[in-house]
Amino acid sequence: MRQLRQVFLILKRRGLGYFSYLLTGYLWPLLSLSLLRKVSPSRLGRVFFLSAVTLSGALVGMYAGWIWALLAAAGSWAAVVFVQKLSRYFETRRKLAAVRRALSRLQSGPARTFTRWEAYPAPPETRKAVNAVLSASPQAEIVIGQIDNDGRVYCPFGPLPYVHSVSRDEFVPRYRFPLSIVVRDGWVLVRKDFRGERERFLNECFNLLCLDGKANIPRVYAVDAQACIVYKELVQGCTVRDLLVQAGADILTVNVQADPALKKLSASERIEAVWKRGQAFFESALPSPFIEQLACQMDQIHAQGVTRLSLTFGNIMVDAADGRPWLIDLEGSRHDERFPSVLFDYERDRDREKFNRIYGCDLLTEQSARCLIHTRLASEYAPIDFGRGLATYGFWNTDSGTGRWEYLNKRSLAPLLNGKRILDLGANNGVMDLMMLREGASEVIALEYSAEYASMARLVHQIFEWRDLRSYPLTVYQRDMRAILSESFGDFDVVTAYCSLYYLEPEDMAAVVRQASRLSPVMILQAKTHARAEAAEKGRKSTPEYLESLLKNNGFPVVKVISPAGFTRPLLIGQKSLG
């Protein structure tokens, strides 16, 4: 009976619309993601397709006989195929139009700098040979390098900088699309020929243009839509694969194919083994922050709705000038305009899992986040809804955690927090700090006495940044809140203490509030209207009346009390003056 009353109370506070959120915002993402992890989207599509055909045939067969059932099934099959092809046709037209608009906009905007042939650091003998051809045919497109399947380059005019040159006999043709380094219109560019595969051609062009200026990806110079050829920026530097090979890693295709140690492995096992070989040389071959920078680049690309990234050693460049990572192959990528969505979360998770396997990292994924929540955030106090099916137990409750924020704190405090620097005293697991940052606070400094809860707060911070694809400026210090009496954390726009200040002795409470009035014009406290019999003294200090008097007598004469009927956690907003 008590639990039933609790359910009615929660629904009364949240409203009947909360049912809709539980179905569409929690259960649907949770179940869909679980299903996608067991059955890939393409296979799932085939299952739905066959189910639709079978169902239509069965329904007709029940009333009209097996001949009409076969006709109905065939008609359903033809209709689905027709709709798929029509949808693909219009999607291709849309992407092609978007590519042309984007290129037109970029070409008519500020000058976009690519590498001029005159500035390209080619050796003198190579430059002389290329210039001889250019002087004879100034408008010609000259291929100065052909890139093979291992990223090595056959250079017909002589060696080129930053590349591993091979002879024509050593050249291993690319399995898929030819890549060349060309001089066109006086620029040094990379030409990628998609051999008429329009879908992948448009994928690459569309996503490169979507990410232009937002991540380290090559800029598009020009496209030939008829021939499915794209010309893009030449990133000057070496691929991760080149640097690993130079350091001694045995990972090239020409070597791996004949390696007896790998012959008995399956194709996927062989790839994993090659990644492991490369990882052994990371420290000696790559700049020290490179892998962290690469993970940040992946996050920046995901933040634009692009997933299915190619993260292998041969598709990541290391900038020769500053060691930054560049992602150079987006032909297989996917752009989701309505992200975040279940499919986006699934594809993003696959990218992160693959990154962890290739680079030996432990970036957060759905599986690892759920494991961390289960092992380290299992406490029912201050439960958290991270969104899209990821939550701790009891997240629906309105007495604490995200539920309390959604029911009372958000609508009462939002105007006071936007753009503000905030000091939070007694952060617990940090959920209120993240809620304030999500609501627009510019920075939160949090003090938490317990080492366990301070660690939880840092984990909650990490999970929210991963979940929201945003950086939240939160700093958690393991400190007693009385540290503000002796340490300097700067000045603030707001000081908060959510259900925490009353754990101190009365004289310490007064001292903390007085110091807060020197640091900030506003102090927000959350009270508690009832306490256990054995905690009567703390219960007296936690009442709205006691805290209102405390604020008024210690630097915040203007106090507003927000106390909804029946809610045990009223808010008090103390200000130095009106306005």
Side-chain angles (χ1 to χ4, degrees), residues 384-404:
I384 305 170
D385 183 359
F386 293 99
R388 305 199 297 287
L390 187 68
T392 64
Y393 179 78
F395 69 90
W396 50 83
N397 205 326
T398 55
D399 290 332
S400 62
T402 51
R404 183 205 298 170

Side-chain angles (χ1 to χ4, degrees), residues 272-287:
E272 297 274 354
V274 170
W275 290 342
K276 291 286 186 185
R277 286 183 178 183
Q279 289 168 19
F281 292 85
F282 281 174
E283 191 173 342
S284 58
L286 301 177

Side-chain angles (χ1 to χ4, degrees), residues 502-503 527-543 568-569:
Y502 47 74
Y503 282 87
K528 188 176 182 181
T529 57
H530 72 277
R532 298 186 304 273
E534 63 271 20
E537 174 59 20
K538 189 181 78 174
R540 182 181 69 84
K541 295 182 294 180
S542 67
T543 61
T568 62
R569 307 282 178 156

Side-chain angles (χ1 to χ4, degrees), residues 196-489:
E197 286 200 27
R198 183 171 290 272
E199 190 171 338
R200 285 189 173 267
F201 162 72
L202 284 175
N203 247 359
E204 174 117 338
C205 298
F206 183 78
N207 289 324
L208 284 174
L209 289 166
C210 282
L211 295 169
D212 191 294
K214 298 168 185 171
N216 291 347
I217 49 93
R219 291 163 296 168
V220 176
Y221 176 77
V223 299
D224 183 339
Q226 192 68 31
C228 294
I229 295 173
V230 60
Y231 295 85
K232 54 187 180 179
E233 176 182 9
L234 172 68
V235 180
Q236 296 193 51
C238 299
T239 63
V240 168
R241 176 173 54 196
D242 289 339
L243 293 177
L244 294 175
V245 169
Q246 290 171 24
D250 191 11
I251 58 175
L252 290 181
T253 304
V254 290
N255 300 327
V256 167
Q257 285 178 337
D259 192 329
L262 303 177
K263 276 193 173 181
K264 293 183 180 180
L265 302 179
S266 67
S268 59
E269 290 173 335
R270 192 178 302 121
I271 290 171
E272 297 274 354
V274 170
W275 290 342
K276 291 286 186 185
R277 286 183 178 183
Q279 289 168 19
F281 292 85
F282 281 174
E283 191 173 342
S284 58
L286 301 177
S288 58
F290 181 82
I291 293 175
E292 292 83 352
Q293 290 176 348
L294 180 56
C296 289
Q297 284 298 312
M298 180 174 65
D299 283 343
Q300 288 179 28
I301 293 173
H302 285 161
Q304 301 303 317
V306 178
T307 53
R308 294 186 187 173
L309 305 180
S310 180
L311 300 162
T312 53
F313 300 149
N315 287 328
I316 306 297
M317 295 288 295
V318 183
D319 195 302
D322 53 21
R324 290 180 302 154
W326 290 70
L327 284 79
I328 58 173
D329 186 354
L330 294 175
E331 69 180 51
S333 57
R334 175 181 180 273
H335 183 256
D336 191 336
E337 294 179 349
R338 293 178 296 275
F339 77 100
S341 64
V342 171
L343 192 54
F344 172 82
D345 284 344
Y346 167 75
E347 297 290 3
R348 181 191 176 208
D349 212 44
R350 289 185 67 198
D351 281 351
R352 293 175 72 86
E353 288 174 347
K354 190 171 183 179
F355 186 98
N356 286 342
R357 295 200 308 275
I358 296 174
Y359 295 97
C361 297
D362 57 353
L363 301 182
L364 269 180
T365 62
E366 288 283 342
Q367 188 174 355
S368 64
R370 291 184 190 282
C371 182
L372 286 168
I373 287 171
H374 179 71
T375 56
R376 293 185 55 192
L377 299 176
S379 168
E380 292 184 34
Y381 186 77
I384 305 170
D385 183 359
F386 293 99
R388 305 199 297 287
L390 187 68
T392 64
Y393 179 78
F395 69 90
W396 50 83
N397 205 326
T398 55
D399 290 332
S400 62
T402 51
R404 183 205 298 170
W405 175 263
E406 291 158 2
Y407 170 61
L408 177 64
N409 291 21
K410 178 179 178 178
R411 62 188 182 188
S412 304
L413 304 178
L416 296 171
L417 303 176
N418 190 36
K420 301 298 193 294
R421 185 171 190 259
I422 299 170
L423 173 65
D424 185 33
L425 305 176
N428 196 268
N429 66 4
V431 62
M432 288 299 169
D433 303 320
L434 271 302
M435 294 300 100
M436 292 189 289
L437 287 163
R438 275 179 140 195
E439 201 56 38
S442 64
E443 181 186 10
V444 175
I445 304 296
L447 306 186
E448 171 51 49
Y449 177 72
S450 163
E452 179 184 1
Y453 280 111
S455 176
M456 279 188 193
R458 295 184 186 103
L459 176 59
V460 169
H461 181 201
Q462 182 186 3
I463 294 175
F464 267 115
E465 287 195 322
W466 158 73
R467 198 58 163 172
D468 294 348
L469 272 169
R470 284 180 57 188
S471 176
Y472 291 116
L474 169 64
T475 306
V476 180
Y477 293 102
Q478 188 196 334
R479 298 279 200 288
D480 188 304
M481 66 183 79
R482 290 169 292 190
I484 67 168
L485 303 176
S486 56
E487 295 184 51
S488 174
F489 298 96

Side-chain angles (χ1 to χ4, degrees), residues 18-142:
Y18 193 59
F19 272 128
S20 174
Y21 168 75
L22 288 176
L23 289 173
T24 61
Y26 178 72
L27 288 175
W28 170 252
L30 179 64
L31 297 175
S32 299
L33 200 58
S34 299
L35 180 61
L36 284 170
R37 292 191 67 83
K38 293 179 174 62
V39 185
S40 69
S42 58
R43 186 174 296 176
L44 203 58
R46 288 194 293 271
V47 169
F48 283 135
F49 170 72
L50 291 173
S51 300
V53 170
T54 305
L55 182 62
S56 64
L59 289 174
V60 172
M62 287 171 61
Y63 298 100
W66 66 271
I67 294 178
W68 287 104
L70 289 175
L71 289 173
S76 299
W77 176 82
V80 171
V81 170
F82 175 75
V83 169
Q84 285 180 335
K85 288 188 177 297
L86 194 64
S87 173
R88 191 170 296 173
Y89 169 77
F90 282 114
E91 178 67 9
T92 298
R93 293 289 299 271
R94 184 188 72 83
K95 281 189 174 179
L96 185 56
V99 166
R100 285 172 174 159
R101 284 196 305 271
L103 275 174
S104 175
R105 186 173 61 251
L106 290 170
Q107 288 166 357
S108 62
R112 302 169 73 227
T113 57
F114 293 85
T115 303
R116 298 289 312 179
W117 167 246
E118 292 84 358
Y120 185 59
E125 64 274 17
T126 304
R127 182 172 299 281
K128 182 178 179 181
V130 173
N131 284 342
V133 177
L134 284 173
S135 61
S137 306
Q139 303 303 317
E141 178 181 301
I142 304 172

Side-chain angles (χ1 to χ4, degrees), residues 467-579:
R467 198 58 163 172
D468 294 348
L469 272 169
R470 284 180 57 188
S471 176
Y472 291 116
L474 169 64
T475 306
V476 180
Y477 293 102
Q478 188 196 334
R479 298 279 200 288
D480 188 304
M481 66 183 79
R482 290 169 292 190
I484 67 168
L485 303 176
S486 56
E487 295 184 51
S488 174
F489 298 96
D491 293 325
F492 299 89
D493 301 301
V494 180
V495 176
T496 61
Y498 298 108
C499 300
S500 59
L501 186 64
Y502 47 74
Y503 282 87
L504 300 179
E505 294 301 320
E507 57 274 18
D508 289 333
M509 292 174 68
V512 167
V513 174
R514 281 195 300 273
Q515 181 63 11
S517 72
R518 300 184 188 104
L519 300 175
S520 165
V522 179
M523 186 171 195
I524 299 168
L525 303 179
Q526 196 138 34
K528 188 176 182 181
T529 57
H530 72 277
R532 298 186 304 273
E534 63 271 20
E537 174 59 20
K538 189 181 78 174
R540 182 181 69 84
K541 295 182 294 180
S542 67
T543 61
E545 295 78 15
Y546 185 93
L547 294 176
E548 182 179 5
S549 175
L550 182 73
L551 286 167
K552 286 182 174 178
N553 294 331
N554 292 281
F556 297 99
V558 181
V559 179
K560 179 182 179 181
V561 180
I562 304 168
S563 183
F567 192 63
T568 62
R569 307 282 178 156
L571 277 171
L572 295 91
I573 303 173
Q575 295 176 287
K576 290 183 179 179
S577 61
L578 285 171

